Amino acid sequence: MKNVEIHPEAVERIKKFSVTDANLGFGKYVCPIMVQAVYDKGEWQRFDLLPYASIPLDPCAKVLHYGQEIFEGMKVFRHPDDSIHMFRPEMNAKRFNFSARRMAMPELPEEQFLEACDVICAYAKNAVPRRLGESLYLRPFMIATEVGMGIKPAKQFLFVIIASPSGSYFSGDSVKVYIEREEIRSAHGGIGAAKTGGNYAASLNSYAKTIALGCDQTMWLDAFEHKYIEEMSGMNFMAVIDGEIHTPEIGDTILDGITRKSIIDIARAEGIKVNERKITIDEVLAATKEDRCVEAFLCGTAAVIAPVASFMDKDKTVVHLKEPNGKVGMRLREKLIDIQSGRAEAPKGWLYPVRNLNF
Ligand code: COI
């Protein structure tokens, strides 16, 4: 494993950084440091902790034309004793490499990914928020920097980690969902399970429609029959039907959410039955109208758990959930946040303590 070279200007910059805003929002503030590493000649070169700065890119860099790019989203929490912990970062490391393989990009050894995350967290320790529900959001990403207009996998890449002290992704109200019945996000054999910019780009046209219709999030259905629920693009979906959780099973068209997995584990440990299966939107709408489905929620790293208020269909009919701040979702949300922030015992291996440096 390569050590991360610490640049003194980066240390000076982070020492002076503080955020006093009572409403951190999501991604509004970014720490003035970043980790950076170059991949060239078939291997990862040095890793550096640098002052945050623009990335110089040749206009012919392949990422700008062919979208060869992957990223991760992960959270870091301050515990009551002031220790700092990353939440399940090994899972992000594994998913990063899964995405890298799918996008013909080089893998980053898991221990190197963890080391790089640990270093930026250790230096950004004072930027890890103190209030419950807030965290330091890490955004590791990799882009193809090789210059050339030919469509072929690049041989040069840049890996970067930036860090953002963040609060809630949503402003607080429960979320209005728009059901997208025409456009699709991903198809079997495609890149839907990879965390790559293309999937998010594919969602934006429909997102604009979603917002114009007064909704907050787009729900994607399967590409073949347009009836099975997949995900929301930035979050996974769960419905509580007859007291049990139902969530689309993971396949190659859905992002394998770490928050989704954690919630399933917590729910099962709390005795709530979780069904991972194919679910049609029509089944959820029918169950909602019959009050058998009284709550539904979205889950993701940034969003944590966001309750659903309603579903809007293509013909603009709206079906409201009876409990837009449902008990099951809120209970799981509280438990997850308690575990992440060191207020409840974490299952083994879920918290990764960040080294404590004096600098
Ligand atoms: C995350 O939850 O970390 C994501 O990458 C999704 C995005 C909506 C912020």
Side-chain angles (χ1 to χ4, degrees), residues 26 71 73 137 139 169 195 200 234-235 300-303:
F26 176 76
F71 70 96
Y137 182 85
R139 178 53 70 85
Y169 188 77
K195 203 157 174 67
Y200 298 81
M235 291 138 230
T301 298

Side-chain angles (χ1 to χ4, degrees), residues 231-252:
E231 59 156 280
M232 319 299 293
S233 205
M235 291 138 230
N236 294 106
F237 175 81
M238 298 195 178
V240 183
I241 305 175
D242 297 327
E244 295 179 2
I245 294 177
H246 296 256
T247 190
E249 66 192 7
I250 291 302
D252 68 350

Side-chain angles (χ1 to χ4, degrees), residues 1-2 93 97 108-118 352:
M1 187 178 65
K2 294 188 167 72
N97 284 338
L108 191 59
E110 277 174 39
E111 65 278 15
Q112 187 72 64
F113 180 95
L114 294 173
E115 163 75 6
C117 292
D118 187 64
Y352 185 109

Side-chain angles (χ1 to χ4, degrees), residues 114-241:
L114 294 173
E115 163 75 6
C117 292
D118 187 64
V119 166
I120 192 166
C121 294
Y123 281 92
K125 66 178 176 187
N126 292 331
V128 182
R130 295 183 177 274
R131 289 178 294 237
L132 194 61
E134 296 179 342
S135 59
L136 185 71
Y137 182 85
L138 296 190
R139 178 53 70 85
F141 62 95
M142 192 200 321
I143 56 174
T145 49
E146 188 183 324
V147 174
M149 296 281 241
I151 305 186
K152 54 183 178 199
K155 292 197 176 68
Q156 283 151 355
F157 297 88
L158 187 70
F159 171 72
V160 179
I161 310 176
I162 53 174
S164 166
S166 291
S168 309
Y169 188 77
F170 291 109
S171 59
D173 295 338
S174 44
V175 171
K176 295 183 201 129
V177 167
Y178 175 69
I179 305 162
E180 177 54 80
R181 293 206 186 245
E182 286 161 335
E183 291 184 11
I184 58 150
R185 174 186 170 274
S186 84
H188 286 307
I191 57 171
K195 203 157 174 67
T196 179
N199 288 321
Y200 298 81
S203 76
L204 297 178
N205 187 45
S206 186
Y207 183 69
K209 182 165 66 180
T210 299
I211 298 298
L213 289 167
C215 296
D216 308 296
Q217 283 290 306
T218 313
M219 172 183 274
W220 295 99
L221 305 180
D222 74 285
F224 191 52
E225 295 180 79
H226 294 244
K227 65 180 194 186
Y228 295 105
I229 300 172
E230 301 230 301
E231 59 156 280
M232 319 299 293
S233 205
M235 291 138 230
N236 294 106
F237 175 81
M238 298 195 178
V240 183
I241 305 175

